[in-house]
Amino acid sequence: MSIAYLDPGNIESDLQSGAKAGFKLLWVLLAATIIGLLLQRLAARLGVVTGMHLAEVCNRQYHTVPRVILWFMVELAIIGSDMQEVIGCAIAFNLLSNGRIPLWGGVLITITDTFVFLFLDKYGLRKLEAFFGFLITIMAITFGYEYVTVRPDQGELLKGMFVPYCAGCGPTQLQQAVGIVGAVIMPHNIYLHSALVKSREIDRSNKKEVKEANKYFFIEATLALFLSFLINVFVVAVFAEAFYGRTNEEVHTVCNATGSPHLDMFPLNNQTLEVNLFKGGVVLGCFFGPAALYIWAVGILAAGQSSTMTGTYSGQFVMEGFLNLRWSRFARTLLTRSIAIFPTLLVAIFQDIEHLTGMNDFLNVLQSMQLPFALIPILTFTSLPSLMNEFANGLFFKIGGGLVVLLVCCINMYFVVVYVVDLNRVWLYVLAPFLSLAYLAFVGYLAWLCLIALGVSWLDPSARKGNDTSVLIEQQPEFDS
């Protein structure tokens, strides 16, 4: 579950945050991780209490048309995440080979990696979990090495993490803060976590055992996200200390002195340095030696490879839950990986590294748009006494969860609007009103059903006590109110 907080999209958001705002947005990263933990808690509780994951519950509760639309939106998020993993791996292979493996070659190599993991899956879930742990350890060591090498100012780091203020920040930093939230909280990860908890055997007829399982899953998620948060902090701190406020001319001078072949990326002007996954490795190599570049690339490769399997599992659970289609993991992976590879390969062949990393920004926007289609359903179903019995959300979690979902959705919609405006494409302005109306109408429909669920315990005293488990399922099947 924690892998989704360490994919290449997150790493790129981290390094851009450090380079553009220094340590000032670390508190945003901390807040986003805490919000993510609370949402993961809801996902785990749903799986533990009901014995069904989120996609299965959606299939049971929603009508056919909204269910299919919801499935399509979640699939878009999974494919977008898969494309980010492909981009990250391709960049890592290019850096590790000193440019000998072209970007399109790295894209093609990533076609095969998922099937290697599927082979490992045949040896049991625990062995696969151990392999994930190994990859996370590689990330911790590699990005930790960069952290120790750069030696960030610890006082500034702690101030940025615990003081929710951004002195002197402008629109650029505001957009970056919004981008952090969009990169950290991943829609398909909510579906994944609700399914992963089913791998543990729980006697759901024993309330004490269910309560105990909820407690330990929450502790497990807290530890996992604490580790992923530390790794994210390593990346932010490295780029905040070493590259915040630097200009292209400064970097060009240093890279020229070290004989870097990528001087064309840093024109001789006084504009502030902008970095991405590829440039990040290059500037680390210029300032801290070739070892820093290669270690950075190994960390990116580990992030991309590990998150690949996360997307595979998410897609499997989502397809089975929404559509009752039980494809083999091989067929399911072949389909989504092919969809992800094709556009990425075209950009890698016919465009340059700037367009490939720019594609990463678009994919972050795409996943931000899909976020309501995970957050609203998870809040809806964990608030239903008819599903959760005495484990349904209390008043605090209903109000708090509702406000968190509203805040995160508004933040991400702002991110989308800013991205569209910055693109300045006429055809987008023409299509945007129609797409926005359709999108908001569906989000509004889901939100209305969520409000019904949040109000059930107040409308029906028996449901509030947990005595009636058929308030919505039998009296109002599929929310047909």
Side-chain angles (χ1 to χ4, degrees), residues 230-243:
L230 284 182
I231 295 173
N232 283 316
V233 168
F234 288 163
V235 178
V236 175
V238 164
F239 283 85
E241 181 69 29
F243 305 114

Side-chain angles (χ1 to χ4, degrees), residues 232-263:
N232 283 316
V233 168
F234 288 163
V235 178
V236 175
V238 164
F239 283 85
E241 181 69 29
F243 305 114
Y244 174 55
R246 290 192 181 273
T247 63
N248 284 321
E249 187 172 0
E250 289 180 82
V251 177
H252 186 282
T253 302
V254 175
C255 288
N256 186 39
T258 59
S260 171
H262 302 291
L263 294 178

Side-chain angles (χ1 to χ4, degrees), residues 37 218-228:
L37 174 62
F218 180 65
I219 293 172
E220 181 184 45
T222 301
L223 293 174
L225 290 196
F226 176 72
L227 180 58
S228 67

